[in-house]
Amino acid sequence: MYVDLMKSDATDFDVAAAARVSTIGSDGLDLNLPVEPLINYLMRDRHGSPFEHTRFTFYVEAPIFVAREFFRHRAGFSYNEESGRYKELAPTFYVPADGRPLRQVGKPGAYQFELGTYKQWMTVSGDLKRISAEAYSTYKRLLEMDVAREVARMVLPVNIYTSFYVTCNARSLMHFLSLRTKRENAKVPSFPQLEIQMVADQMEAAFEEQMPFTAAAFDTHGRVAP
Ligand SMILES: Cc1cc2nc3c(=O)[nH]c(=O)nc-3n(C[C@H](O)[C@H](O)[C@H](O)COP(=O)(O)OP(=O)(O)OC[C@H]3O[C@@H](n4cnc5c(N)ncnc54)[C@H](O)[C@@H]3O)c2cc1C
């Protein structure tokens, strides 16, 4: 999974200044005012709107099955994705790395994952490689026969990579992180698929860098979006 923070306009100060407009108006723009305690209070009491005055734009490369999960996040998110109608898709396919758990046990909503056997591993990785190669050569053959890209792509599996731009604010990002990461200290545990966690973890690292007090408060208060 590849995640790049293309641009951001998001600082802890932005949140504090937006919150202070309700009490001291534009005096809240004073850079000397403390930021961390206010952010902690906002997070704890779930005053979420000040966190919306921030913006992150990420560029993501991920398999289609991950993008499909990602695009379920609607509130405060904007997307643009590469087109399988307008461009020829590159032959980049996801095959899980050695050690990716393969067996699911437990019940829906709270599965646990176990490594699986060597035979399962060889079959999964061998089949994925074989089917990806076969599907892509069929795709190319259809294009060479002058079949439209929008039709030829129908033979491609969901482990082919796509790329997209996604823009969100800190509040929508925290909601996404609460659902798409797995952490022991989460007040409301989530059970996201490993591959979207790999995307979310990189987004969280960028979030921590841009907004350290907000990211720390999110984590301290149980990883519930305010
Ligand atoms: C572990 C896991 C398993 C999942 N399994 C499935 C599955 O089996 N099938 C499936 O279809 N989806 C599944 N999903 C997707 C899930 O149902 C959500 O669509 C996704 O997590 C986005 O969450 P959201 O709607 O809260 O986010 P957003 O769309 O970003 O919305 C954020 C918040 O805004 C509010 N909101 C947004 N839209 C509306 C609305 N129309 N009406 C009222 N309030 C709104 C809600 O408070 C919402 O929580 C799964 C997600 C996870 C994390």
Side-chain angles (χ1 to χ4, degrees), residues 6 25 65 82 96 126 156 187:
M6 302 298 291
F65 70 87
E82 77 172 273
L156 295 169
K187 251 189 215 161

Side-chain angles (χ1 to χ4, degrees), residues 18 29 58 60 177 188 193 220:
L29 291 169
F58 295 94
V60 179
L177 295 175
V188 184
Q193 171 146 358
T220 304

Side-chain angles (χ1 to χ4, degrees), residues 72-75 175 179-180 190-192:
R72 296 300 305 277
H73 294 266
R74 302 158 286 176
H175 185 67
L179 291 166
R180 302 301 184 176
S190 189
F191 299 88

Side-chain angles (χ1 to χ4, degrees), residues 10-20 26-36 38-39 50 53-54 210-214:
T11 66
D12 293 316
F13 178 78
D14 295 328
V15 177
R20 285 189 168 120
S26 60
D27 289 346
L29 291 169
D30 183 349
L31 287 167
N32 296 309
L33 291 170
V35 165
E36 191 178 5
L38 178 55
I39 284 179
H53 300 279
T54 53
Q210 302 301 311
M211 301 182 71
F213 293 144
T214 303

Side-chain angles (χ1 to χ4, degrees), residues 145-209:
M145 285 172 68
D146 208 23
V147 171
R149 286 182 289 260
E150 68 181 23
V151 176
R153 68 174 172 177
M154 294 177 193
V155 300
L156 295 169
V158 289
N159 69 329
I160 193 166
Y161 269 71
T162 185
S163 58
F164 56 94
Y165 259 55
V166 51
T167 297
C168 58
N169 62 56
R171 188 184 195 184
S172 50
L173 178 58
M174 286 186 275
H175 185 67
F176 173 87
L177 295 175
S178 73
L179 291 166
R180 302 301 184 176
T181 60
K182 205 162 189 290
R183 300 283 193 279
E184 291 298 316
N185 62 328
K187 251 189 215 161
V188 184
S190 189
F191 299 88
Q193 171 146 358
L194 177 72
E195 285 76 13
I196 199 165
Q197 289 180 51
M198 290 155 72
V199 172
D201 287 341
Q202 293 182 63
M203 291 169 70
E204 183 153 357
F207 173 48
E208 284 166 359
E209 207 167 295

Side-chain angles (χ1 to χ4, degrees), residues 49-163:
S49 52
F51 295 95
E52 294 172 17
H53 300 279
T54 53
R55 193 167 57 143
F56 296 84
T57 298
F58 295 94
Y59 169 75
V60 179
E61 289 178 7
I64 283 179
F65 70 87
V66 172
R68 191 165 166 188
E69 291 187 344
F70 201 129
F71 294 172
R72 296 300 305 277
H73 294 266
R74 302 158 286 176
F77 280 89
S78 304
Y79 299 100
N80 279 92
E81 186 185 12
E82 77 172 273
S83 168
R85 299 183 70 204
Y86 304 140
K87 72 187 273 284
E88 187 176 317
L89 299 175
T92 314
F93 294 87
Y94 177 73
V95 177
D98 199 359
R100 195 257 189 248
L102 296 180
R103 291 190 62 243
Q104 73 190 50
V105 291
K107 56 181 178 24
Y111 287 121
Q112 300 296 316
F113 290 85
E114 297 173 352
L115 276 183
T117 63
Y118 181 69
K119 186 177 173 195
Q120 283 174 322
W121 168 250
M122 291 303 285
T123 307
V124 167
S125 85
D127 283 356
L128 274 173
K129 285 178 193 163
R130 180 177 52 77
I131 282 171
S132 302
E134 269 177 34
Y136 198 78
S137 65
T138 308
Y139 173 66
K140 287 293 281 185
R141 185 164 48 76
L142 293 174
L143 292 180
E144 278 154 21
M145 285 172 68
D146 208 23
V147 171
R149 286 182 289 260
E150 68 181 23
V151 176
R153 68 174 172 177
M154 294 177 193
V155 300
L156 295 169
V158 289
N159 69 329
I160 193 166
Y161 269 71
T162 185
S163 58

